[in-house]
Amino acid sequence: MAVLSKIRQRSALMIAVIALALFAFLIGDLFKSGSFSSTSKDVGSINGKDISFEDFRLKVSDVEKSGQGITSTAAANRVWEQEVSVALLSSEFDKLGLRVGEKHIIEILKADQNIGKNPMFLNAAGMFDLAKFKEYFKSNPAQAEYLKQREKDAELNAKYQIYSTLVKSASYTTKAEGKLKYKMEADKANFSYVGALYSSIKDSDVKVTDAEILDYMKKNEKKYKAEESRAIEYVLIEDKASKEDEAEVKSKISALLAGSVVYNQATGKNDTVAGFRTTKNAIEFVNSNSDVPYDSTYVAKKDLPAVDADQLFNLAPGAVYGPYVFGNYYCISKSLGKKLGVNAKASHILISYEGAQVPNQREKRTKEEAKAKAEEVLAQVNANPDSFMMLAFQYSDDSSAQQGGDLGYFGPGQMVKPFSDFVFNSNIGQIGLVETPFGFHIIKVTDKQDGIRLATVAQKLEASEATSDKIFTQATKFEMDAADKDFNKVAKEMKLTVTPAVSVKAMDETFGALGNQRAIVRWAFEDDTKVGSVKRFEVANLGHVIATVKNIDDSGFAPIDQVRPFIETKLKNVKKAEMLKAKMTATSLEAIAKATGSKVEQAANVTLENPVLNGGVGQEPRVVGNAFALAANKLSAPIEGNTGVYVVKTTSIVKAPALKDVAPYVAKLKAQSAGDVNRVLPALKDIADIKDNRKQFNY
């Protein structure tokens, strides 16, 4: 009976297993097709603390709804960075036991103009009234939830302010450091040296392998660590007009030039319809027949299509030109007349004063002083108009001073009104003084451009349905053939160009020259996508992209082809250094110079603060440091520097006189470390255990 019981138990177990397998089979596609494809309920973790996907999704949704026009992927990236930063900093706050009270939080909230300067929360004296603030949210429960979230953010900001203060306070500069700073600037070394430059050995004589580069990256892991990446090659088959499509559009728009005869069902007679050449209402004709509506703007010659600019600009009123191609359109244009001075070019010298709307005042002055100065400069310009550029360099408070005051071309209304009125009401070469809210302007009108008004019928050059069908067939065939054969070989057979591999990371949106192509990047990181996988993507307003994964790099390091230019030179110099050292075994500088084909050089008054060697060598801190450390007239061992291998013989070290007050040097060091607090978060990220599962959630 016991055996029978066990058999029955096992049978029940087998039935359960089979049922589970069937259930898994039935819903497998569901879990692969939507946001259910995630293998984790958490979007990631920071130092073991999980980030719930649901909470993360709500925050991403809030960012997307913020009205900034941000994509879901960009929103996810922004929220992720915030989550990582908040988690790491909050952990530090907790370790330190930081606490903030209502007063701290209110001060942070008040810094927001929408709260601190909101009339609803101000008293009769225009000051923030805490009682009014609290009463508002007490009587508006719907807004209370919003305030709770703001208070959470304010609490974090308040803690961060305290934390920043603690970090800054902990960064202390001693008098000994100030003294060392002084000595580094003031002590001077005089020495002779021989430099055997790395450039004296050809790069082609030194080989560096990929294995050596990878080994270097492993030894410098923090510097070269990188996210998992995919290298993707692709073929672009553009969905564009064929020659037959172009000919059809050209024929269609050419037919608009002459009149046509159409049957009028109402009268039972044929009517003659005016063409573009003879129409009495060119504007109505354009709006009835063009893919681009009529534009009444007068256009300067420089803004017309380059190839046809002369013919278009010189059209007599009523004359017609075309068809011609402009961008993706076939066009015909009729002149509606010219206008003088539609654009102007001017230079100015701005003399501003305190309170004027200009951000970069060279010196503080009152409005009266500014006016007097402007009149003085105007007199100088009138006395010698050719001096305008130099006077602009010398006196103008505007950024255009770097261009001698030149503002380029502009149209009516593009400048502040008094300025614009003077320029467009003056002749070329005229100089004058104008006051605006920015200050006093000495203005010189340097050029004017005439413009032409054109009525233009433009019809878009785009692929016909038949052409699009052919392109789709070609793209589909390429996708199917490339899936089973060599991608590049198939492209060559079909006379298509393969774009070199683009390297992307899991949360990238930009895909090389194609811009935002998140769908391609997402596909490349799907579990089923392997090296050699091929897929076709339809890209709006472009055509078909057929992509293949060339390489998957999950090594944790930056791709070798990206870092090779930086690392290869370093490793080659290491090998060159050994070759040069072998030649530098003699016991005198003269003998070493002869052996290396160089010469003995002299360095005078070199400091540790500025360890530059003459002759264009540049900074060599190791060489100069050794010179300071050597006893007089003693020869150093070969020193591997930035630009070569050096041997040094110190002549003398000139010590700077003792300094009683090193406070200025202490202040210098303090200023240099003022931004150290900004290095805390990157440092915390470097040592944190961060797991990012976002790619599993189809962002």
Side-chain angles (χ1 to χ4, degrees):
M1 290 293 292
V3 173
L4 183 59
S5 176
K6 286 184 179 180
I7 290 172
R8 285 173 178 166
Q9 288 173 5
R10 287 176 181 270
S11 297
L13 179 62
M14 279 301 286
I15 291 169
V17 169
I18 292 168
L20 184 61
L22 286 170
F23 179 71
F25 175 77
L26 289 170
I27 67 168
D29 284 342
L30 176 63
F31 273 83
K32 289 178 79 174
S33 62
S35 59
F36 290 108
S37 62
S38 169
T39 59
S40 169
K41 66 179 181 180
D42 299 313
V43 79
S45 65
I46 297 100
N47 289 332
K49 183 180 179 181
D50 295 330
I51 300 175
S52 159
F53 170 68
E54 187 57 28
D55 290 343
F56 186 82
R57 182 188 67 79
L58 290 172
K59 290 177 181 177
V60 170
S61 178
D62 287 342
V63 172
E64 287 184 272
K65 294 173 184 175
S66 64
Q68 300 176 41
I70 191 169
T71 65
S72 60
T73 303
N77 289 338
R78 181 184 295 182
V79 173
W80 175 256
E81 285 301 314
Q82 290 172 350
E83 291 293 300
V84 171
S85 300
V86 168
L88 293 175
L89 289 170
S90 294
S91 177
E92 295 299 299
F93 301 161
D94 292 343
K95 289 176 187 176
L96 293 168
L98 295 186
R99 298 289 183 270
V100 293
E102 183 185 64
K103 184 177 179 181
H104 287 97
I105 293 171
I106 292 297
E107 287 303 314
I108 296 294
L109 291 174
K110 281 166 57 179
D112 184 341
Q113 296 291 314
N114 294 321
I115 294 175
K117 298 295 183 183
N118 193 318
M120 290 192 299
F121 309 139
L122 302 181
N123 59 24
M127 303 299 290
F128 181 80
D129 190 322
L130 182 58
K132 281 190 173 185
F133 178 74
K134 288 183 175 181
E135 181 58 33
Y136 171 81
F137 286 99
K138 185 178 179 181
S139 58
N140 290 275
Q143 297 292 327
E145 193 59 37
Y146 165 77
L147 179 62
K148 282 182 183 179
Q149 186 57 51
R150 290 302 308 273
E151 285 177 337
K152 286 181 182 178
D153 296 340
E155 182 180 358
L156 276 173
N157 284 330
K159 286 182 179 179
Y160 183 71
Q161 287 185 0
I162 297 171
Y163 182 73
S164 298
T165 302
L166 290 172
V167 172
K168 290 175 182 177
S169 299
S171 180
Y172 182 73
T173 305
T174 65
K175 288 184 178 180
E177 289 173 305
K179 184 178 179 182
L180 177 60
K181 173 75 171 172
Y182 165 66
K183 289 178 69 63
M184 288 181 70
E185 290 186 13
D187 286 356
K188 295 180 172 61
N190 299 295
F191 56 91
S192 305
Y193 68 92
V194 171
L197 302 182
Y198 297 134
S199 58
S200 64
I201 299 175
K202 293 180 181 178
D203 279 349
S204 57
D205 293 341
V206 184
K207 304 298 180 185
V208 173
T209 65
D210 285 355
E212 288 173 318
I213 291 176
L214 184 59
D215 185 56
Y216 181 87
M217 285 196 288
K218 287 178 179 178
K219 290 176 181 176
N220 298 272
E221 183 177 349
K222 285 186 179 180
K223 189 174 182 180
Y224 294 102
K225 68 179 181 180
E227 299 172 40
E228 185 179 349
S229 65
R230 303 285 189 271
I232 307 170
E233 290 182 332
Y234 68 91
V235 162
L236 170 62
I237 302 177
E238 293 184 79
D239 190 7
K240 62 181 182 180
S242 64
K243 290 182 179 178
E244 293 76 14
D245 295 335
E246 290 184 19
E248 184 178 345
V249 175
K250 184 178 181 181
S251 174
K252 184 180 174 183
I253 203 166
S254 296
L256 294 173
L257 290 169
S260 59
V261 177
V262 295
Y263 178 73
N264 188 327
Q265 289 184 339
T267 62
K269 298 179 180 179
N270 289 332
D271 290 342
T272 300
V273 178
F276 192 49
R277 284 197 177 96
T278 58
T279 182
K280 294 180 179 179
N281 192 331
I283 297 172
E284 184 179 311
F285 191 96
V286 168
N287 289 332
S288 298
N289 295 280
S290 178
D291 292 334
V292 179
Y294 171 73
D295 183 356
S296 62
T297 306
Y298 282 92
V299 183
K301 184 178 178 180
K302 69 178 182 64
D303 297 319
L304 293 170
V307 174
D308 305 282
D310 285 334
Q311 293 91 328
L312 287 167
F313 193 74
N314 293 319
L315 278 177
V320 173
Y321 177 75
Y324 64 94
V325 177
F326 183 34
N328 293 323
Y329 293 87
Y330 252 114
C331 306
I332 50 176
S333 294
K334 175 180 281 190
S335 171
L336 300 185
K338 286 185 178 180
K339 185 177 180 181
L340 301 178
V342 295
N343 287 334
K345 186 179 184 183
S347 295
H348 80 141
I349 300 168
L350 174 63
I351 308 298
S352 64
Y353 51 86
E354 285 191 86
Q357 296 177 22
V358 63
N360 53 337
Q361 298 175 15
R362 292 194 177 188
E363 60 182 89
K364 291 184 178 181
R365 57 172 78 93
T366 64
K367 184 175 181 179
E368 291 72 21
E369 289 172 335
K371 185 178 181 182
K373 183 69 177 179
E375 290 172 345
E376 177 189 328
V377 175
L378 175 64
Q380 290 179 265
V381 171
N382 283 328
N384 181 11
D386 292 337
S387 68
F388 195 100
M389 180 182 289
M390 291 307 299
L391 291 171
F393 280 130
Q394 188 175 355
Y395 294 117
S396 183
D397 289 324
D398 186 51
S399 58
S400 65
Q402 300 303 313
Q403 290 79 47
D406 185 11
L407 296 170
Y409 286 98
F410 51 89
Q414 286 184 258
M415 296 293 182
V416 67
K417 192 175 186 306
F419 192 104
S420 184
D421 288 348
F422 175 83
V423 171
F424 284 95
N425 292 325
S426 302
N427 297 321
I428 296 173
Q430 191 165 336
I431 296 168
L433 178 63
V434 171
E435 180 185 352
T436 77
F438 295 95
F440 295 91
H441 307 257
I442 298 95
I443 304 172
K444 181 179 181 181
V445 181
T446 55
D447 193 18
K448 289 195 175 181
Q449 294 177 328
D450 299 338
I452 188 169
R453 179 185 282 173
L454 297 170
T456 299
V457 177
Q459 295 192 352
K460 193 169 186 180
L461 288 168
E462 54 189 354
S464 63
E465 187 175 340
T467 299
S468 291
D469 287 345
K470 286 180 183 178
I471 292 168
F472 174 79
T473 301
Q474 182 189 23
T476 305
K477 183 178 187 307
F478 178 80
E479 178 188 19
M480 295 173 66
D481 290 352
D484 300 322
K485 301 175 186 176
D486 180 82
F487 191 87
N488 284 269
K489 187 176 180 181
V490 175
K492 188 174 182 181
E493 289 171 356
M494 294 181 69
K495 297 181 180 179
L496 297 169
T497 301
V498 177
T499 300
V502 176
S503 180
V504 293
K505 296 188 284 292
M507 292 305 294
D508 283 350
E509 288 187 289
T510 301
F511 182 68
L514 299 183
N516 189 336
Q517 300 296 335
R518 179 62 190 156
I520 298 176
V521 177
R522 189 186 292 122
W523 162 77
F525 283 87
E526 289 177 357
D527 292 339
D528 294 340
T529 304
K530 312 295 181 186
V531 172
S533 293
V534 175
K535 187 168 182 178
R536 178 182 59 84
F537 298 86
E538 288 190 31
V539 180
N541 302 316
L542 192 59
H544 301 263
V545 174
I546 303 93
T548 183
V549 177
K550 184 180 180 183
N551 181 52
I552 294 176
D553 187 346
D554 54 6
S555 66
F557 294 101
I560 288 179
D561 59 338
Q562 286 185 14
V563 299
R564 176 177 286 278
F566 308 101
I567 297 177
E568 188 174 48
T569 300
K570 289 177 180 288
L571 296 182
K572 281 190 173 184
N573 285 349
V574 170
K575 293 185 177 185
K576 288 180 180 182
E578 294 306 314
M579 297 165 68
L580 294 170
K581 283 179 184 178
K583 299 179 181 180
M584 305 174 84
T585 56
T587 57
S588 72
L589 288 179
E590 289 72 20
I592 292 171
K594 185 176 181 181
T596 56
S598 50
K599 60 182 181 178
V600 179
E601 303 280 1
Q602 303 299 320
N605 297 326
V606 182
T607 67
L608 287 169
E609 184 72 16
N610 187 30
V612 176
L613 301 183
N614 55 16
V617 171
Q619 290 208 349
E620 287 292 357
R622 292 190 194 93
V623 178
V624 176
N626 271 271
F628 271 95
L630 279 173
N633 298 314
K634 185 176 180 181
L635 208 64
S636 74
I639 306 159
E640 290 184 35
N642 294 331
T643 56
V645 179
Y646 295 83
V647 174
V648 174
K649 185 178 182 181
T650 301
T651 306
S652 64
I653 303 295
V654 181
K655 300 282 187 180
L659 195 65
K660 289 182 180 180
D661 183 15
V662 294
Y665 294 90
V666 171
K668 279 186 185 181
L669 292 172
K670 280 184 177 179
Q672 290 173 5
S673 61
D676 283 354
V677 68
N678 298 322
R679 296 162 56 190
V680 170
L681 189 55
L684 290 173
K685 287 180 181 179
D686 277 345
I687 61 174
D689 178 18
I690 300 174
K691 291 183 173 63
D692 184 354
N693 302 326
R694 283 177 295 160
K695 70 177 182 180
Q696 297 178 14
F697 294 89
N698 286 340
Y699 279 114

